[in-house]
Amino acid sequence: MQTSAALDLAHTRPRPVHWLATAAAMAAVVAGAALFQPEAATATQSAPGTGPAAPAARTTAAPDASSAVYPLECRGGKPAVVEKGSGDLDGDGRPETVAVVRCASGIGTPPSGVFVLTGPSRVVATLVDPADGMGVSDFAVRAGAVSATLLGYSSPDVARCCPDVTEKVKWQWRGGKFARTALPDARGM
């Protein structure tokens, strides 16, 4: 069916009243958005358990270590979370999760990585890179700090069953990043 050239399609030709109505509606939306703004965000840190962010810590769940995607290549296998702990490490009132992760292996103990997760199980920091070839034991998350004993090898000639380098360490949030310090012993935390 062919339409007539004389067919009047008045609704397809906007008139000034249409433009005015559209402009008034847009002005109302913009004015409404300006009136109903959320509170301004702040980037200040308060002591753990205090300040406006403190109530969120009680209602926000720690990120799930098993659902995170880790920067670890396991040659066809999936990384395994061998230990985990949660706590508010950066003082923002929301818990972070720290996970010790390594590739699953039929024999031996492959190197581990230690990763910090926030939000929806997103890796935001690497405390121990698996490429460093270290094992992790005595892992704990307490009082806003992460502690562990790192096990390594002094040379390629050392049998991989028996690490000969041991370092007790602690990480704490300072100056916008995780600072690592060596501990004299496990009770030094």
Side-chain angles (χ1 to χ4, degrees):
M1 178 170 159
Q2 195 172 22
T3 59
S4 167
L7 185 61
D8 186 22
L9 299 176
H11 66 277
T12 61
R13 283 183 247 129
R15 295 201 163 83
V17 71
H18 296 125
W19 290 110
L20 286 173
T22 302
M26 291 299 295
V29 169
V30 170
L35 290 175
F36 299 105
Q37 290 289 324
E39 285 187 34
T42 60
T44 60
Q45 290 185 358
S46 57
T50 64
R58 291 183 203 95
T59 59
T60 303
D64 180 17
S66 64
S67 66
V69 176
Y70 297 98
L72 185 61
E73 179 57 48
C74 291
R75 299 182 193 174
K78 184 178 178 188
V81 175
V82 294
E83 292 189 69
K84 62 184 175 182
S86 297
D88 182 10
L89 300 174
D90 59 4
D92 67 353
R94 294 178 300 233
E96 288 79 30
T97 296
V98 183
V100 178
V101 181
R102 66 177 175 225
C103 294
S105 173
I107 58 170
T109 304
S112 296
V114 179
F115 304 99
V116 179
L117 310 172
T118 64
S121 302
R122 183 173 54 99
V123 174
V124 294
T126 300
L127 303 180
V128 175
D129 190 334
D132 295 339
M134 305 292 282
V136 177
S137 68
D138 303 324
F139 171 79
V141 177
R142 297 189 278 278
V146 179
S147 64
T149 301
L150 303 180
L151 309 170
Y153 305 94
S154 59
S155 75
D157 299 330
V158 176
R160 295 297 156 204
C161 68
C162 311
D164 64 339
V165 175
T166 301
E167 182 183 13
K168 296 178 187 301
V169 295
K170 175 173 73 170
W171 293 270
Q172 285 184 294
W173 186 255
R174 285 191 218 124
K177 64 181 180 176
F178 286 98
R180 176 175 157 174
T181 55
L183 298 175
D185 58 39
R187 293 177 304 272
M189 191 169 150

